[in-house]
Amino acid sequence: VNFINENIDINNKIEEGTLISFSLTVLEHYHINSVIMNEQQLILRDECYSFIMPNEDANILIQGSEDEKYSISTTNTENIYFSIIGQKQSFYEGEEVMFSVTANYGYQINSFEIIKDSDLSKIEYSGSSSYSFIMPNSNVTINFDVETLYQVTINNSDHINVLISNERDYYSYNEQVSFTLSNLMPSSYELDKVEISDKDNNIISYSLENDVYSFNMPKSNVTITITEK
């Protein structure tokens, strides 16, 4: 409590009829619910409270409470690592929320949605390890769009090898995979056939143009098998 009247000393008697004005300093994330003087509700005007000193002691009751905190929940996090930086479980409105997220091996994060009530903010995953947003005045759900990735296994023949142009450990669904063949002894061995199959041994069609084989990745691991003659 900060008394504005310079001549007021609350340790001494105050004359009846004196105008008493005071302001309140409130800690961050707390707010005042009511200010009562002898059962009389005081109103905040021009950032201060005022009352006329009655013919009795003035007892000022200040009632306040902590600002509401809001929580964060997540969905589709089975195959990713998600962590709120600072390990806080709830946040005040206006606070910055920072979190880190990475996909487990064999999975890919495409995007995530920050959902507040009926509002939705979609953020494309940029590959960064950390992100942030400002906490609204409601609970928030972060929904991740996580994609399963697939592998390509190569069964080379003894003398003909597969060379994938964009070779890496995993590929996403419908991604085009292209490869060429390298014959180590072309004068002695010829290609018999190229077979591409999924995990259930279903044959996958491919195109061949200018000695480049191409196919689109199914929702399955793939095996390329080369047979020579």
Side-chain angles (χ1 to χ4, degrees), residues 21-22 31 35 62 101 122 134 170 186 195 225:
S21 298
F22 62 92
H31 60 274
V35 179
I62 301 170
V101 58
K122 188 170 184 176
I134 301 301
Y170 289 94
E195 187 175 271
T225 302

Side-chain angles (χ1 to χ4, degrees), residues 115-126:
I115 305 170
K116 167 209 163 191
D117 295 336
S118 60
D119 298 333
L120 182 149
S121 174
K122 188 170 184 176
I123 300 177
E124 294 298 325
Y125 179 71
S126 66

Side-chain angles (χ1 to χ4, degrees), residues 4 12 19 24 30 40 62 73 75 87 98 105 108 120 138 141 143 156-157 175 205 218-219:
I4 297 173
N12 297 319
L19 176 65
L24 298 176
Y30 286 81
Q40 174 190 349
I62 301 170
S73 59
T75 60
Q87 303 298 318
M98 299 183 66
Y105 204 57
Q108 173 178 286
L120 182 149
S138 73
T141 299
N143 178 45
N156 291 315
S157 65
E175 181 179 358
S205 61
K219 289 184 176 180

Side-chain angles (χ1 to χ4, degrees), residues 208-221:
L208 175 60
E209 186 175 350
N210 297 325
D211 296 326
V212 177
Y213 297 81
S214 298
F215 67 93
N216 290 329
M217 201 72 185
K219 289 184 176 180
S220 165
N221 292 333

Side-chain angles (χ1 to χ4, degrees), residues 11 46 69 97 114 127 133 157 162 179 184 189-190 201 218:
N11 296 313
D46 297 328
K69 286 184 174 182
V97 181
I114 299 176
F133 65 93
S157 65
V162 171
F179 62 92
L184 303 180
Y189 298 92
E190 295 179 7
N201 292 321

Side-chain angles (χ1 to χ4, degrees), residues 2 4 21-26 31-36 40-51:
N2 309 302
I4 297 173
S21 298
F22 62 92
S23 62
L24 298 176
T25 301
V26 184
H31 60 274
I32 298 168
N33 295 326
S34 64
V35 179
I36 299 172
Q40 174 190 349
Q41 181 83 38
L42 301 184
I43 306 300
L44 180 66
R45 291 189 178 90
D46 297 328
E47 299 184 354
C48 70
Y49 297 87
S50 299
F51 65 93

